[in-house]
Amino acid sequence: MGKKDITLNAFLGDVHIFADLLNGCCFQGKTVILPEELLPLDSAQYTSTNQGKPGKKYRDLKKLWYQEEPVAIFAVENQECRDYRMPVRCMRYDADEYERQIKAFEAEQKSVSIIFRPGKAISLLPVLTIVLYYGQEEWTVPRRLSEMIAFRSKTARFREQIPDYSLRLISVRKDMDIELFHTELREVMGILQRVDDKRAMQIFFENNRAAFSRLTEQAFEVIVNCTNSPKLRKYMLENKEGECVDMCRAFEEWMEDCRTEGIKEGENRFARLIQLLERDNRYSDISKAADNPAIRNRLYRKYGL
């Protein structure tokens, strides 16, 4: 598990953030699930290996929804990279969880000296797995089991008879409406949506200065790791106040550094272009490139700069 997944799991594992995520993604932001109703569950799930031997897999996050009695089981799988196996992976995760419930039911029946009959009615808790995809590329790999199955001419006639399994996939950049969130999950996901556009990030910060000025350190860790910015971490440490971080002050310092670095990179790029133009005796193009951005960019492309 990478550093980004680790920090994101720690952040989403907070019951307030987890409840906000579920309410935003599943209930249009309505307060249906309360933080105090979420109980931790062991992320380890027992399964069988490809050789049929007992094995163990770990979910990213798994919690029990409890309202005077167990109601449902929620799981979240964080994905930065596209995975074509995801429908089968999640289907197996869910099946293993249902199998665990069945075994627990059977053990309970035996423990109270009740003769267990295979046909006895059993009531399983529903299991919902959300795949939270925060990668840069569009999710073009399968979202459902049927997209992985090769239905050839002889099998096409009974395609509708084959049970399907669909992912509950949320693409942070494409599918997520951050305005449905009511915790600092909104600010964190807002940054993840704009992580490749510093200008968009800056505007988002400016429009939400109050929220970013009281961001928790855990939320800031997610932003630091997902922006791949060691300097932002440095500014975080310098601007920490108690358990909160003045993200606006840290971000302003970071952006100023980015602007300075950008100017230097631009100067170095233009200096290299002049060297190449002089080498090719294209002296008239030097002044044109200096005065006309369109010509300058065309020459950059021509020389692979």
Side-chain angles (χ1 to χ4, degrees):
M1 186 182 293
K3 199 170 186 178
K4 291 181 184 179
D5 279 344
I6 292 173
T7 54
L8 191 55
N9 283 350
F11 174 65
L12 295 176
D14 180 282
V15 290
H16 296 86
I17 302 298
F18 196 90
D20 198 24
L21 177 68
L22 290 170
N23 287 328
C25 293
C26 302
F27 303 109
Q28 293 297 305
K30 297 178 182 177
T31 306
V32 175
I33 300 171
L34 300 176
E36 57 269 25
E37 296 172 347
L38 293 170
L39 303 179
L41 285 176
D42 188 357
S43 62
Q45 288 192 184
Y46 292 92
T47 184
S48 57
T49 65
N50 293 334
Q51 292 75 35
K53 298 179 181 179
K56 191 161 55 172
K57 292 184 179 294
Y58 291 89
R59 310 297 308 267
D60 284 345
L61 290 166
K62 189 167 71 169
K63 294 187 183 294
L64 173 68
W65 186 16
Y66 193 94
Q67 289 183 325
E68 297 183 353
E69 63 178 1
V71 178
I73 292 173
F74 296 118
V76 173
E77 295 296 321
N78 296 315
Q79 283 291 123
E80 183 180 14
C81 300
R82 296 174 298 182
D83 188 347
Y84 70 92
R85 305 167 301 164
M86 213 63 198
V88 172
R89 280 181 56 191
C90 290
M91 181 174 67
R92 187 166 185 174
Y93 286 148
D94 293 352
D96 287 339
E97 173 55 39
Y98 285 124
E99 180 67 18
R100 182 198 64 79
Q101 292 185 50
I102 290 173
K103 289 181 178 179
F105 173 78
E106 293 175 351
E108 180 183 5
Q109 297 300 306
K110 293 176 181 177
S111 67
V112 294
S113 301
I114 298 176
I115 298 176
F116 176 72
R117 299 186 303 276
K120 186 177 178 63
I122 180 172
S123 180
L124 299 174
L125 296 178
V127 180
L128 173 63
T129 295
I130 292 177
V131 178
L132 191 65
Y133 174 61
Y134 61 96
Q136 180 179 358
E137 299 175 318
E138 185 177 353
W139 186 279
T140 55
V141 293
R143 288 175 176 248
R144 57 197 313 133
L145 178 64
S146 59
E147 294 173 1
M148 302 175 64
I149 299 175
F151 290 100
R152 297 179 174 85
S153 57
K154 291 185 178 180
T155 56
R157 68 186 66 183
F158 61 90
R159 177 172 182 165
E160 298 301 322
Q161 308 301 318
I162 305 297
D164 204 354
Y165 178 91
S166 300
L167 286 181
R168 182 69 172 97
L169 185 135
I170 305 293
S171 172
V172 172
R173 298 171 188 244
K174 188 176 180 180
D175 305 326
M176 183 172 281
D177 181 359
I178 62 170
E179 299 305 325
L180 297 176
F181 301 135
H182 306 290
T183 65
E184 61 184 0
L185 179 66
R186 176 185 178 276
E187 286 67 51
V188 170
M189 292 299 148
I191 291 298
L192 295 189
Q193 290 178 336
R194 299 162 174 81
V195 74
D196 299 315
D197 188 339
K198 287 188 173 65
R199 178 57 182 162
M201 276 201 292
Q202 185 177 21
I203 294 172
F204 186 63
F205 272 109
E206 291 299 329
N207 292 338
N208 299 277
R209 292 184 67 89
F212 280 109
S213 66
R214 55 177 183 271
L215 212 63
T216 65
E217 187 174 353
Q218 200 167 42
F220 198 94
E221 277 289 340
V222 177
I223 293 174
V224 168
N225 284 310
C226 289
T227 54
N228 295 312
S229 174
K231 286 191 174 182
L232 196 53
R233 182 184 301 281
K234 170 179 173 288
Y235 299 137
M236 174 190 77
L237 296 175
E238 293 174 351
N239 292 284
K240 185 178 177 182
E241 298 175 358
E243 294 191 5
C244 293
V245 180
D246 189 341
M247 180 74 175
C248 292
R249 196 186 315 163
F251 182 75
E252 286 168 356
E253 294 179 21
W254 179 52
M255 285 300 296
E256 183 57 38
D257 265 14
C258 289
R259 280 191 289 270
T260 302
E261 290 174 0
I263 292 172
K264 289 181 179 178
E265 289 175 3
E267 291 174 347
N268 293 336
R269 188 185 186 195
F270 186 59
R272 178 59 179 157
L273 177 62
I274 292 174
Q275 290 175 345
L276 294 172
L277 291 172
E278 288 178 340
R279 182 198 67 186
D280 296 341
N281 297 318
R282 299 179 61 174
Y283 296 103
S284 62
D285 285 333
I286 293 177
S287 59
K288 292 178 182 178
D291 296 333
N292 192 318
I295 294 176
R296 185 164 61 247
N297 288 331
R298 188 170 69 247
L299 290 169
Y300 281 149
R301 291 193 296 271
K302 177 178 176 58
Y303 283 99
L305 298 176

